[in-house]
Amino acid sequence: LLLSHISLATIPVLIIGILLIQTTRKSIETSVADGNFEVAKRASNEISLYIEQAQNIVSQVADIMGMLDTTPIERQRLIDNVVVRHEQFRELAVLDLDGQELFCTRLATHSTPHNRDGLDLPQAKAVSKSPVFISEDRLPTVRMTVPIHRFNQVTGYVTADVNLKDMWDLVDSVQIGGDNESGFGNAYVVSGNGRLIAHPQRERVYGQEDLSDTPVGKAITAAVSNTVLYNSSDGEQLAAFVTIEPLGWHVVIEQPTAEAFIRSREAKVEVTVLMICSAVAASLIGVFFARKIAHPVSELVRGANLFGKGELTHSIEVPGHGELTMLAEEFNHMARQLLEKERQLQRAERLATLSKFASILSHEI
């Protein structure tokens, strides 16, 4: 009876606790992954706006060059002012149709103009962008080229080297969580071909590290999900990534699962403790009710044994108003009836003895 009560009390608690642990863990892990994805999305939007702003400025310079009849000095002054006013531009140049420099913000350009070999010269109004490269000042740079249109004809090009220092600053500023033991999450940017173009560890960017064969790179290529779990030399990692449109770059938020899912482990411990306490409490309640049932039964058994030994004056005490109390009262009533019958029998035996003694005495007289 005790085992059945404990089982009925604890098994449901254990089942509910296990289901609650699984549900809580899944919910927290999904919430963390979605949160990291939102961080990556915001970083992607900021980088996209930064590039779009630079592109708009270059397009405006090209439009001015095409619409206004300006002197060479005015054109030189125009591009110089743009570089001075906008820190994201390392260099701005005006090219002819063959890619030969006409004007440039580089100091030595006026005396030594040169041809931009290998530069993608677009014919439409679209802006061409080069792959990200590391400039002489050790910053990631992208080169934008916009055609100059005059009377619907391409008359030249404006090309600008845009440094991505702000992108590096943004990547450095992203830190998710943070713990000396479990580490913290950070951000990095991967180009369309899998090359690392922004990372808190600058050496990896300078070395043009290729991530295309890593779990993150494969997940980005497959694009079946915006999050991926994988094992690295630093332990299990959670990575969330977002594509920067229309550049084709990818912002990745990477965080050790030891830090990302710490709340899940804490919740698991809390639910486990709650489950154990509930099971213990349920077991104690089961023990209480089992004893409450077993004690009256034991009293009935002991009373029946005493009655069997002839101790009919014994009274079975079972408190309460339940069926066992009624049974105890019936046992006591039966014992009283047996005791009365026994007394009547003894009285009858005494009368029979006196009658026999009287007959013998009368005969002797």
Side-chain angles (χ1 to χ4, degrees):
L1 183 63
L2 182 61
L3 289 176
S4 64
H5 273 72
I6 293 176
S7 300
L8 290 173
T10 57
I11 289 176
V13 173
L14 295 175
I15 293 175
I16 293 173
I18 292 172
L19 294 176
L20 183 60
I21 288 174
Q22 293 177 346
T23 303
T24 303
R25 178 181 59 81
K26 185 176 180 180
S27 175
I28 291 176
E29 291 180 1
T30 302
S31 176
V32 171
D34 291 344
N36 289 359
F37 175 75
E38 289 300 321
V39 173
K41 193 173 181 180
R42 288 196 296 270
S44 170
N45 291 336
E46 290 188 28
I47 295 173
S48 180
L49 289 174
Y50 178 78
I51 298 297
E52 184 179 351
Q53 181 186 20
Q55 178 178 317
N56 291 336
I57 294 173
V58 177
S59 297
Q60 290 173 6
V61 172
D63 291 341
I64 293 173
M65 295 289 184
M67 290 186 298
L68 302 179
D69 291 325
T70 56
T71 64
I73 295 177
E74 291 174 338
R75 292 193 173 194
Q76 183 67 49
R77 186 180 301 163
L78 172 63
I79 61 176
D80 287 340
N81 288 337
V82 170
V83 173
V84 171
R85 293 175 58 188
H86 301 282
E87 295 181 354
Q88 66 262 47
F89 292 107
R90 291 187 59 256
E91 181 180 297
L92 202 66
V94 179
L95 313 177
D96 61 16
L97 292 175
D98 296 326
Q100 183 74 24
E101 283 185 359
L102 300 177
F103 310 99
C104 185
T105 57
R106 192 169 55 250
L107 294 178
T109 297
H110 303 296
S111 58
T112 58
H114 65 278
N115 189 33
R116 297 290 185 100
D117 295 327
L119 187 65
D120 184 14
L121 301 177
Q123 297 302 316
K125 292 185 178 181
V127 179
S128 70
K129 303 180 186 68
S130 69
V132 177
F133 60 92
I134 303 300
S135 63
E136 297 175 356
D137 50 3
R138 307 286 284 175
L139 288 174
T141 305
V142 63
R143 181 167 292 149
M144 299 180 181
T145 305
V146 180
I148 300 173
H149 287 85
R150 187 174 181 81
F151 303 119
N152 293 326
Q153 292 185 350
V154 178
T155 59
Y157 301 93
V158 175
T159 182
D161 288 353
V162 182
N163 73 64
L164 304 178
K165 182 179 181 301
D166 286 356
M167 183 177 71
W168 271 15
D169 294 339
L170 174 64
V171 166
D172 290 344
S173 67
V174 175
Q175 288 188 356
I176 301 175
D179 190 285
N180 292 332
E181 296 180 359
S182 58
F184 55 83
N186 52 32
Y188 56 88
V189 182
V190 181
S191 66
N193 59 5
R195 297 287 180 179
L196 202 59
I197 58 177
H199 196 281
Q201 299 175 3
R202 299 285 188 263
E203 294 76 14
R204 298 178 64 179
V205 179
Y206 295 146
Q208 295 285 285
E209 184 175 338
D210 188 0
L211 302 181
S212 56
D213 290 333
T214 64
V216 175
K218 293 178 181 178
I220 291 174
T221 303
V224 294
S225 174
N226 53 22
T227 58
V228 60
L229 280 172
Y230 66 95
N231 290 315
S232 69
S233 58
D234 298 326
E236 190 178 44
Q237 304 285 329
L238 170 68
F241 53 88
V242 177
T243 302
I244 305 174
E245 299 293 350
L247 302 172
W249 304 347
H250 307 277
V251 177
V252 182
I253 302 295
E254 190 176 73
Q255 186 178 15
T257 56
E259 166 65 25
F261 299 151
I262 186 171
R263 186 68 193 94
S264 174
R265 291 191 297 275
E266 291 175 351
K268 182 178 179 180
V269 173
E270 292 171 357
V271 173
T272 301
V273 171
L274 178 62
M275 183 174 62
I276 293 174
C277 293
S278 300
V280 171
S283 299
L284 293 176
I285 294 173
V287 169
F288 171 75
F289 280 103
R291 289 183 178 276
K292 189 174 181 180
I293 296 173
H295 179 70
V297 173
S298 299
E299 287 295 315
L300 288 172
V301 172
R302 190 171 70 88
N305 289 332
L306 292 174
F307 292 159
K309 294 177 180 179
E311 298 182 17
L312 298 177
T313 57
H314 175 73
S315 178
I316 301 174
E317 299 294 335
V318 177
H321 304 282
E323 291 81 357
L324 293 177
T325 303
M326 294 174 59
L327 183 60
E329 290 175 353
E330 290 297 325
F331 268 61
N332 293 333
H333 180 66
M334 179 188 68
R336 288 192 295 269
Q337 287 182 332
L338 289 174
L339 184 60
E340 182 63 27
K341 294 293 184 182
E342 184 178 3
R343 288 173 180 172
Q344 291 177 1
L345 182 61
Q346 289 176 352
R347 191 162 44 249
E349 287 179 351
R350 285 197 300 272
L351 289 174
T353 302
L354 288 174
S355 176
K356 184 177 179 180
F357 178 74
S359 65
I360 294 173
L361 183 61
S362 65
H363 176 74
E364 291 296 326
I365 293 173

